[in-house]
Amino acid sequence: MTSAEPTHGAHTVEIRAFSKTFSGQRVLTNFDLVLGSGEIHALVGENGCGKSTFIKCLSGYQSPDAGAELEVRGERLAIPYTAAQAAERGLVFVHQDFGIVPTLSVMENMALSGGFSTRGGAIQWRTQAIKTTEALAVLGRDDIPPDALASTLSASEHATIAIARALAGTKDGASFLVLDEPTAALPQSEVNALFHVIRRLAQQGTTVLFVSHRLQEVFDVADRVTVLRDSRKVGTFDTADLDERALVEKIVGRELAALYPESAPTSRAEVVLEVEGLTATRVSEVSFTAHRGEILGIAGLQGSGRSEIIRLLFGAQQRRSGSIRIGGQEVRLRNPASAMKAGIAHVPEDRIHHGVFGRMTVAENLSLLTVGRYWKYGRIQTGPETQRVSELINAYDIRPSSAGQLMGRLSGGNQQKGVLAKWLEISPTILLLDEPAQGVDVGAKSDIYHLIEQWVAEHSSTVIMVSSDFEDLNALCHRVLVLRDGKLVADLENESKTVDRMVELAYLKDAG
Ligand SMILES: Nc1ncnc2c1ncn2[C@@H]1O[C@H](COP(=O)(O)OP(=O)(O)OP(=O)(O)O)[C@@H](O)[C@H]1O
Ligand SMILES: [Mg+2]
């Protein structure tokens, strides 16, 4: 079943003996991979297994340990090489955090790699705008204004720009496109557009390597898949020879009992939240209730208004009309601080910009919201704080389990566990989750869902969760609201709550 040899075309890329050590610890061990031209190859593995580290080494952003070798189209690249030298050989990369500068416009971000169109030293803004729109059109997003500030765009639009930018650099002779979790923040419609582009590039002979935690995607688009576990390669397989279960077991190295917790139907407890006639920019006249001990899902496509509901409930955006009542009391929620006072917490979609303080330690991040508890006799009581932090690291299985590590050095999924731990610590009455499993591996996702389920049951709290993954919503949520074009079109529960029904209602105009 192992397929060490590419099924496609001539060998284009030969990667040999890539290793990487950080302060004495190996996070990538002797990684080899041979890829054919026109091959689409997926790289998968648990959070922190070394995928991004490998890609950073390959791109020249970090240098691998001595002994690594790389050949592209039969030519050896002397290591270390710079990202520019790699690009000369047609190696193009999109990294996990997309590298979008929020204070720059879309076209300025596009120019960060390709440079500006100039004439006589002056930037040709019109030409630049046209080039930008053309590049975005390849992904079906020529509606993004080239002069828009990146900070006004969503995470998925940042992903789109980063991918368009990398593709724009591949004009002719691009032999190898590498994407680190390109779809983590993308809605399904854009995922399909991206895969369309990827397949077309592959047909033209480009080799594509991408990282994903969404295994369905791997089967949809990849010819072969390589699994990493604990810094080592487990093997390379033809996707046609595997099913999802077999792949999951290779990733986690054991049989996985149950991916999702049993979502025990709650006996209908008291109403905690009442939303009536909520109207803002995208949503109009949305009314629903949420109960104690309930995990309430919100399904819908990007732009359907699901994230806006979350922002309105967290006071990060103001409603035009409608009312929000918590425990029977009307609340105004003028800003996130007033929402937090009302017992509402929010784990945002955009972890990198809003959830994680990368230059602070894991301990500082975890006790950020609760540090007041450890304040006694005019100073922080470090003993109890350290104790609690290490309990949290264990409970949430944050790896590496070092309180003093900088948060920014943790892998994406481990950062996500940290953000969740931080917010659950304040025991909110209502917890708002926007894409909580984004960038999280199958094992960690299962852990996170079990933690949420357990936390809700223990505290009789309420979770309201937005996810693009309807399977997840169906499995974890007691009830699911479906939004379409800013309107609430269904409130699904029990037998009516199925993935098919959600898809139908979210996509189709005449399904409701
Ligand atoms: N600059 C660094 N200094 C120290 N350790 C690091 C650094 N960068 C990464 N690591 C560690 O290397 C290991 C591999 O991290 P990496 O980011 O490659 O994981 P990953 O497979 O991409 O995970 P994810 O799926 O969560 O993105 C992790 O244990 C991480 O904490
Ligand atoms: Mg990664």
Short mmCIF file of all heavy atoms in Angstrom, two decimals, residues 173-195:
data_model
loop_
_atom_site.label_atom_id
_atom_site.label_comp_id
_atom_site.label_asym_id
_atom_site.label_seq_id
_atom_site.Cartn_x
_atom_site.Cartn_y
_atom_site.Cartn_z
N GLY A 173 6.70 28.24 -15.92
CA GLY A 173 7.82 27.52 -15.32
C GLY A 173 7.67 27.27 -13.83
O GLY A 173 8.58 26.79 -13.21
N ALA A 174 6.50 27.59 -13.24
CA ALA A 174 6.31 27.24 -11.84
C ALA A 174 6.27 25.73 -11.74
O ALA A 174 5.44 25.09 -12.37
CB ALA A 174 5.02 27.81 -11.30
N SER A 175 7.19 25.14 -10.99
CA SER A 175 7.17 23.69 -10.98
C SER A 175 6.61 23.14 -9.68
O SER A 175 6.18 22.01 -9.62
CB SER A 175 8.57 23.14 -11.22
OG SER A 175 9.50 23.84 -10.44
N PHE A 176 6.57 23.97 -8.63
CA PHE A 176 6.24 23.40 -7.33
C PHE A 176 5.55 24.46 -6.48
O PHE A 176 6.14 25.48 -6.13
CB PHE A 176 7.56 22.96 -6.67
CG PHE A 176 7.41 22.10 -5.46
CD1 PHE A 176 6.23 21.43 -5.17
CD2 PHE A 176 8.48 21.96 -4.57
CE1 PHE A 176 6.12 20.64 -4.05
CE2 PHE A 176 8.38 21.17 -3.44
CZ PHE A 176 7.19 20.50 -3.18
N LEU A 177 4.27 24.21 -6.17
CA LEU A 177 3.50 25.12 -5.33
C LEU A 177 3.23 24.43 -4.01
O LEU A 177 2.72 23.31 -3.98
CB LEU A 177 2.17 25.48 -6.01
CG LEU A 177 1.15 26.25 -5.18
CD1 LEU A 177 1.65 27.65 -4.84
CD2 LEU A 177 -0.20 26.32 -5.90
N VAL A 178 3.60 25.09 -2.89
CA VAL A 178 3.44 24.49 -1.57
C VAL A 178 2.51 25.37 -0.74
O VAL A 178 2.74 26.58 -0.62
CB VAL A 178 4.81 24.36 -0.87
CG1 VAL A 178 4.65 23.68 0.49
CG2 VAL A 178 5.78 23.58 -1.74
N LEU A 179 1.46 24.78 -0.19
CA LEU A 179 0.48 25.54 0.57
C LEU A 179 0.32 24.93 1.96
O LEU A 179 0.02 23.75 2.08
CB LEU A 179 -0.87 25.54 -0.15
CG LEU A 179 -0.87 25.96 -1.62
CD1 LEU A 179 -1.44 24.85 -2.48
CD2 LEU A 179 -1.65 27.23 -1.83
N ASP A 180 0.49 25.75 2.99
CA ASP A 180 0.32 25.26 4.36
C ASP A 180 -1.07 25.62 4.84
O ASP A 180 -1.37 26.79 5.11
CB ASP A 180 1.38 25.89 5.27
CG ASP A 180 1.47 25.18 6.61
OD1 ASP A 180 0.58 24.36 6.92
OD2 ASP A 180 2.43 25.45 7.36
N GLU A 181 -1.93 24.64 4.94
CA GLU A 181 -3.32 24.84 5.36
C GLU A 181 -4.03 25.98 4.64
O GLU A 181 -4.56 26.89 5.27
CB GLU A 181 -3.38 25.08 6.87
CG GLU A 181 -3.02 23.84 7.66
CD GLU A 181 -3.48 23.94 9.09
OE1 GLU A 181 -4.68 24.17 9.30
OE2 GLU A 181 -2.65 23.78 9.99
N PRO A 182 -4.04 25.92 3.32
CA PRO A 182 -4.66 27.00 2.57
C PRO A 182 -6.16 27.10 2.81
O PRO A 182 -6.75 28.15 2.64
CB PRO A 182 -4.38 26.64 1.11
CG PRO A 182 -4.25 25.15 1.12
CD PRO A 182 -3.59 24.83 2.43
N THR A 183 -6.78 26.00 3.19
CA THR A 183 -8.24 26.00 3.26
C THR A 183 -8.77 26.16 4.68
O THR A 183 -9.98 26.20 4.89
CB THR A 183 -8.82 24.70 2.68
OG1 THR A 183 -8.32 23.60 3.46
CG2 THR A 183 -8.43 24.52 1.24
N ALA A 184 -7.87 26.28 5.68
CA ALA A 184 -8.32 26.31 7.07
C ALA A 184 -9.34 27.41 7.32
O ALA A 184 -10.28 27.22 8.08
CB ALA A 184 -7.14 26.46 8.01
N ALA A 185 -9.17 28.55 6.65
CA ALA A 185 -10.09 29.66 6.90
C ALA A 185 -11.02 29.93 5.72
O ALA A 185 -11.61 30.98 5.61
CB ALA A 185 -9.30 30.92 7.24
N LEU A 186 -11.10 28.97 4.82
CA LEU A 186 -11.90 29.20 3.62
C LEU A 186 -13.27 28.54 3.69
O LEU A 186 -13.39 27.40 4.10
CB LEU A 186 -11.18 28.63 2.38
CG LEU A 186 -9.94 29.35 1.89
CD1 LEU A 186 -9.49 28.74 0.57
CD2 LEU A 186 -10.18 30.83 1.71
N PRO A 187 -14.31 29.25 3.26
CA PRO A 187 -15.61 28.61 3.15
C PRO A 187 -15.63 27.65 1.97
O PRO A 187 -14.79 27.76 1.07
CB PRO A 187 -16.55 29.78 2.90
CG PRO A 187 -15.70 30.82 2.28
CD PRO A 187 -14.34 30.65 2.86
N GLN A 188 -16.59 26.73 1.97
CA GLN A 188 -16.62 25.67 0.98
C GLN A 188 -16.59 26.19 -0.46
O GLN A 188 -15.90 25.64 -1.30
CB GLN A 188 -17.86 24.81 1.20
CG GLN A 188 -17.79 23.43 0.56
CD GLN A 188 -16.53 22.66 0.98
OE1 GLN A 188 -16.15 22.67 2.14
NE2 GLN A 188 -15.87 22.02 0.02
N SER A 189 -17.30 27.28 -0.73
CA SER A 189 -17.35 27.78 -2.10
C SER A 189 -15.96 28.17 -2.59
O SER A 189 -15.59 27.92 -3.73
CB SER A 189 -18.30 28.97 -2.20
OG SER A 189 -17.96 29.92 -1.23
N GLU A 190 -15.16 28.78 -1.70
CA GLU A 190 -13.81 29.19 -2.10
C GLU A 190 -12.86 27.99 -2.13
O GLU A 190 -11.91 27.97 -2.91
CB GLU A 190 -13.28 30.26 -1.15
CG GLU A 190 -13.90 31.62 -1.43
CD GLU A 190 -13.54 32.64 -0.38
OE1 GLU A 190 -12.34 32.95 -0.26
OE2 GLU A 190 -14.45 33.11 0.33
N VAL A 191 -13.13 27.00 -1.27
CA VAL A 191 -12.31 25.79 -1.29
C VAL A 191 -12.43 25.15 -2.67
O VAL A 191 -11.44 24.78 -3.30
CB VAL A 191 -12.76 24.78 -0.20
CG1 VAL A 191 -12.07 23.44 -0.39
CG2 VAL A 191 -12.47 25.34 1.18
N ASN A 192 -13.66 25.06 -3.15
CA ASN A 192 -13.87 24.45 -4.46
C ASN A 192 -13.16 25.23 -5.56
O ASN A 192 -12.56 24.65 -6.45
CB ASN A 192 -15.36 24.34 -4.75
CG ASN A 192 -16.02 23.35 -3.81
OD1 ASN A 192 -15.35 22.50 -3.22
ND2 ASN A 192 -17.33 23.49 -3.64
N ALA A 193 -13.24 26.56 -5.47
CA ALA A 193 -12.58 27.40 -6.48
C ALA A 193 -11.07 27.17 -6.44
O ALA A 193 -10.41 27.07 -7.47
CB ALA A 193 -12.91 28.87 -6.24
N LEU A 194 -10.53 27.07 -5.23
CA LEU A 194 -9.09 26.86 -5.09
C LEU A 194 -8.69 25.49 -5.67
O LEU A 194 -7.70 25.38 -6.40
CB LEU A 194 -8.70 26.93 -3.61
CG LEU A 194 -7.28 26.47 -3.30
CD1 LEU A 194 -6.26 27.40 -3.93
CD2 LEU A 194 -7.06 26.36 -1.81
N PHE A 195 -9.48 24.47 -5.37
CA PHE A 195 -9.15 23.13 -5.88
C PHE A 195 -9.24 23.08 -7.39
O PHE A 195 -8.48 22.37 -8.05
CB PHE A 195 -10.04 22.08 -5.23
CG PHE A 195 -9.65 21.77 -3.81
CD1 PHE A 195 -10.49 21.07 -2.96
CD2 PHE A 195 -8.40 22.18 -3.33
CE1 PHE A 195 -10.11 20.79 -1.66
CE2 PHE A 195 -8.02 21.90 -2.03
CZ PHE A 195 -8.88 21.20 -1.19
#
